[in-house]
Amino acid sequence: CPGVGFDVIPTDCVAAALKEALPDATELRLGFDTTVSLSPGTMKTTLESAPQGGRVRRNGRLVHVPLAHEVRRIDFGRGERLAVAVPWGDVSTAFHTTGIPNVTVYVPATRASILGMKLGNVFRPFMKMSVVRHALNALVSMTVKGPDEMARARMPSYVWGEAINARGERRTARVKTANGYSLTIPGALAVTQHLLSRQGSSGFYT
C-alpha cells in the first residue's frame, strides 16, 4: 500500500469522493496548497526526480511531459492562486483508486519558481550527473531545515479536486487537513491498523 502519508491519503480520499459524485468522469485534477517549508528529505526527493521530468496519466497510461508543462489558476480552499502541474504520486494511485484514465496534479507556484522549473527542462541532463546530484544533496543538507512542531500546527493543508466527464459536467471537492508532515505518522499507522484488521487483505491497495 504505497503513499500512506500526506502523499497520498487526503488527495486519494478526494479522488474517491469525486468518483462517487461523478461515476462517469474521464478527467481528474487534484492538488494541494500549504505554506509549510520543505524538509531536507522532500527537497532531496524533488531534486532526485527533477531529471526525469513531469508525469501525467493520459488514457490510462503514465506519460512523460516537460516540467511545468501546464499552468493554471486554482482555488485550493483559501483563494485563487497560480498553480503548476507536478509529477505527484496521485498520477499513479488515483488511477488505481478511481479508474479515471486522465489524472493531473497541481501545486501553487510563483512565476519565478515556474520559470525555474521550465529552465530545469534545459538543465535536466546535467542534473543526472552523479557529481551534480551529490553537490545538490550536500547543499540541501547544509541549508534546508524542515518545519518544527509549532510551525506545522500553524500551517494546515488545503486539498482540492475536480472531476469532469465527457459531457463537460464537473464536480469539485475541497478538504482542509493537518499539515502534511504532521499527518504522515498517524496516516501510516491508521492504514496499517486497517489492513491488519481485515481478513485476506493481501495484495495491492490504495
Side-chain angles (χ1 to χ4, degrees):
C1 186
V4 294
F6 185 86
D7 184 3
V8 296
I9 290 176
T11 44
D12 210 45
C13 289
V14 167
L18 287 170
K19 174 65 175 180
E20 185 176 346
L22 194 64
D24 61 346
T26 57
E27 182 88 21
L28 179 64
R29 298 162 183 168
L30 299 166
F32 60 93
D33 175 13
T34 181
T35 54
V36 69
S37 57
L38 297 181
S39 72
T42 302
M43 181 63 76
K44 289 178 181 179
T45 300
T46 301
L47 291 172
E48 182 181 325
S49 62
Q52 303 170 33
R55 293 287 192 287
V56 294
R57 178 78 64 168
R58 288 292 175 263
N59 299 317
R61 300 183 63 181
L62 287 174
V63 176
H64 291 258
V65 292
L67 294 170
H69 79 287
E70 186 175 338
V71 178
R72 56 172 291 185
R73 300 194 69 83
I74 297 172
D75 181 357
F76 294 92
R78 55 174 179 169
E80 196 174 84
R81 301 186 64 186
L82 192 65
V84 63
V86 294
W88 203 248
D90 298 270
V91 298
S92 175
T93 54
F95 171 71
H96 295 287
T97 297
T98 66
I100 298 174
N102 301 291
V103 183
T104 307
V105 183
Y106 302 85
V107 296
T110 63
R111 294 191 182 278
S113 62
I114 292 170
L115 177 60
M117 293 173 69
K118 290 182 179 294
L119 288 174
N121 290 312
V122 177
F123 293 105
R124 277 169 51 193
F126 299 100
M127 296 180 71
K128 294 180 180 179
M129 299 170 61
S130 59
V131 64
V132 175
R133 293 201 311 271
H134 291 318
L136 289 173
N137 281 336
L139 182 63
V140 169
S141 296
M142 290 187 295
T143 60
V144 178
K145 184 177 181 181
D148 60 23
E149 187 174 355
M150 290 182 62
R152 295 196 304 270
R154 296 193 306 269
M155 299 174 177
S157 298
Y158 300 83
V159 180
W160 162 89
E162 178 181 73
I164 306 170
N165 66 13
R167 298 185 299 277
E169 296 174 322
R170 189 180 304 251
R171 298 291 184 274
T172 302
R174 292 180 179 86
V175 172
K176 179 182 176 181
T177 186
N179 178 273
Y181 293 118
S182 299
L183 186 143
T184 298
I185 292 175
L189 293 175
V191 168
T192 303
Q193 184 177 29
H194 175 71
L195 290 175
L196 289 174
S197 70
R198 293 167 60 92
Q199 295 297 319
S201 60
S202 61
F204 172 85
Y205 288 87
T206 61

